[in-house]
Amino acid sequence: MAKERYTRIIGTGSYIPPIIIKNNHFLKNEFYTPGGQKITDKTNEEIIQKFREITNIEERRYVAEDQVTSDIAALAVENACKSAGISKESLEFIIVCHNFGDVVEGNNRIDILPGLANKVKMKLHIKNPKSICHDVVSGCPGWTQGMIIADAYIKSGFMKRGVVVGADVLSRISDPHDRDSMIYADGAGATIVEAIESEEPIGIVSHSSRSDSVQYANLLTFGKSSNPDYKSDELFIKMAGHKLYIYAITTVPGLVKESIEMAGIELNDVKKVFIHQANEKMDEVILAGLFKLYGQKEIPEGIMPMSIRKLGNSSTATVPTLIDIVAKGKMEGQEINEGDYTIFCSVGAGMNINSIVYKW
């Protein structure tokens, strides 16, 4: 058989911020409904308990006061290069996937001048002028979108090696008067990808994507605080949580099935599903929906590793961070073996969905 070019991961890295924020951090918050009404029929203890039951989030990580997104993205790249055993100067492209650029402590104004990929290159002191910089803004599926772009770079023969980073600092653009603020976290994850010639499919085997914007672009937006008396014109993340949930559980399973079929494999060949960590119950329903499409009720134990309980939702960072944790044997009962087929999947603002079939 003739050899074909594929995109494989040769190293993973992540940066998990130092500040641990437990659920009781929100006990003194004043919560309002999206319509601006103060919530008085439930105590904060009850609100937090319900939140824990739905999402399974017990704590999340926030960056230090002097850190911004490009800082933690650079640290994740450095970690991934070390894991891969390569020089940073050998990177031919740097793709940084994020949503809000650099946001400094005390001012939630977004800074994307220059792009974060350029800032990361500067902070890593990569002098190679042929190491190109590319930002991707695509909601929570940013890292999966970046991996699809990297695959195009490599399969075209244009590039041979690069890095794809997912990084976000959501703690500084979340509304303290919105219950959804308890979901958001900070973090960064990175993957070093490289071209490989192979007779058998390896690395990225297939991918499938969709964007449903006409009806669903307004499910995640920027808007004013839920507190009508908030004394600032700052804007925050605003999420139509229930509508997003319904969209995800009804749409994601079919797209994942499509990517599996494009890879020419069966569902039973898939060993792990690395899915965006936004809501554990939602992810469980999505996984059950996927198996239902194949007429299966029994779901293999441990097929969907979860990091959300301790790390929360760090948007573009959740999937690459989770992959790094499992690939390095840092999650009890979870491992990746050579030859395993895995799914990388994310859904988020746009609404955008990506599903990648990856063979290790």
Side-chain angles (χ1 to χ4, degrees):
M1 292 178 62
K3 289 186 176 182
E4 293 188 27
R5 176 176 280 212
Y6 295 93
T7 303
R8 66 168 179 170
I9 296 170
I10 63 168
T12 64
S14 62
Y15 179 77
I16 297 172
I19 302 174
I20 299 172
I21 302 294
K22 296 183 179 295
N23 285 348
N24 60 14
H25 172 84
F26 301 94
L27 281 172
K28 294 182 179 180
N29 286 38
E30 289 188 348
F31 292 118
Y32 289 74
T33 68
Q37 298 297 315
K38 188 174 180 179
I39 298 173
T40 56
D41 61 334
K42 294 178 182 177
T43 65
N44 278 16
E45 287 85 352
E46 291 173 322
I47 291 171
I48 291 169
Q49 178 59 30
K50 186 66 174 178
F51 167 82
R52 166 68 175 79
E53 291 172 2
I54 293 172
T55 65
N56 200 31
I57 297 174
E58 294 178 356
E59 59 189 52
R60 70 285 295 143
R61 297 297 186 103
Y62 286 0
V63 294
E65 285 189 5
D66 61 347
Q67 291 180 312
V68 291
T69 305
S70 58
D71 291 327
I72 64 174
L75 290 167
V77 173
E78 202 160 35
N79 185 240
C81 287
K82 184 178 180 181
S83 171
I86 65 161
S87 165
K88 295 174 287 187
E89 294 292 337
S90 71
L91 297 172
E92 297 177 66
F93 59 84
I94 301 167
I95 299 176
V96 178
C97 314
H98 61 93
N99 288 297
F100 305 102
D102 282 344
V103 180
V104 299
E105 178 69 18
N107 184 339
N108 78 349
R109 185 171 295 173
I110 291 169
D111 174 11
I112 52 172
L113 185 65
L116 293 205
N118 296 90
K119 291 181 180 180
V120 167
K121 184 176 182 179
M122 175 187 68
K123 291 175 180 182
L124 291 173
H125 303 287
I126 297 173
K127 298 178 181 178
N128 178 7
K130 295 297 184 181
S131 178
I132 67 166
C133 298
H134 185 165
D135 278 28
V136 172
V137 179
S138 189
C140 293
W143 176 82
T144 50
Q145 188 65 46
M147 286 290 285
I148 291 169
I149 293 168
D151 188 48
Y153 279 165
I154 286 173
K155 284 187 174 176
S156 70
F158 182 45
M159 303 285 186
K160 293 182 180 178
R161 176 187 289 172
V163 63
V164 184
V165 196
D168 266 308
V169 172
L170 303 186
S171 61
R172 292 176 186 161
I173 44 83
S174 59
D175 180 3
H177 299 288
D178 187 338
R179 287 166 291 184
D180 290 334
S181 64
M182 293 187 286
I183 294 174
Y184 305 124
D186 308 336
T191 42
I192 307 295
V193 292
E194 185 177 77
I196 182 174
E197 303 288 335
S198 175
E199 293 180 355
E200 298 292 332
I202 193 74
I204 295 178
V205 179
S206 70
H207 52 79
S208 189
S209 303
R210 65 182 288 165
S211 295
D212 295 294
S213 303
V214 173
Q215 189 173 354
Y216 299 108
N218 62 350
L219 297 190
L220 272 160
T221 57
F222 241 30
K224 292 183 179 181
S225 173
S226 297
N227 181 353
D229 296 322
Y230 190 76
K231 304 300 182 183
S232 173
D233 59 357
E234 291 177 335
L235 301 179
F236 303 94
I237 306 174
K238 292 295 162 182
M239 176 172 64
H242 182 68
K243 290 181 180 180
L244 193 155
Y245 175 89
I246 297 301
Y247 170 83
I249 65 172
T250 56
T251 313
V252 174
L255 190 81
V256 176
K257 184 174 188 287
E258 182 178 287
S259 68
I260 292 171
E261 291 173 345
M262 290 173 65
I265 63 173
E266 299 297 328
L267 177 61
N268 292 338
D269 295 320
V270 176
K271 302 303 181 187
K272 298 291 175 192
V273 177
F274 294 97
I275 192 168
H276 173 52
Q277 311 281 292
N279 177 325
E280 187 162 320
K281 290 285 178 66
M282 183 177 78
D283 288 346
E284 289 172 349
V285 175
I286 289 171
L287 187 66
L290 172 63
F291 275 75
K292 185 178 180 181
L293 291 177
Y294 284 88
Q296 297 185 33
K297 293 183 179 179
E298 294 294 323
I299 299 175
E301 187 176 350
I303 192 173
M304 186 173 68
M306 299 298 296
S307 61
I308 192 170
R309 184 166 66 93
K310 296 295 183 183
L311 299 183
N313 172 9
S314 56
S315 190
T316 59
T318 64
V319 177
T321 298
L322 179 61
I323 292 168
D324 181 54
I325 290 169
V326 174
K328 291 177 177 173
K330 294 181 178 180
M331 184 175 286
E332 186 177 352
Q334 295 287 350
E335 62 180 9
I336 302 171
N337 298 302
E338 186 175 345
D340 283 355
Y341 284 100
T342 58
I343 302 292
F344 306 151
C345 178
S346 190
V347 55
M351 296 297 289
N352 299 316
I353 314 173
N354 296 313
S355 179
I356 298 170
V357 176
Y358 186 89
K359 184 178 181 184
W360 294 85

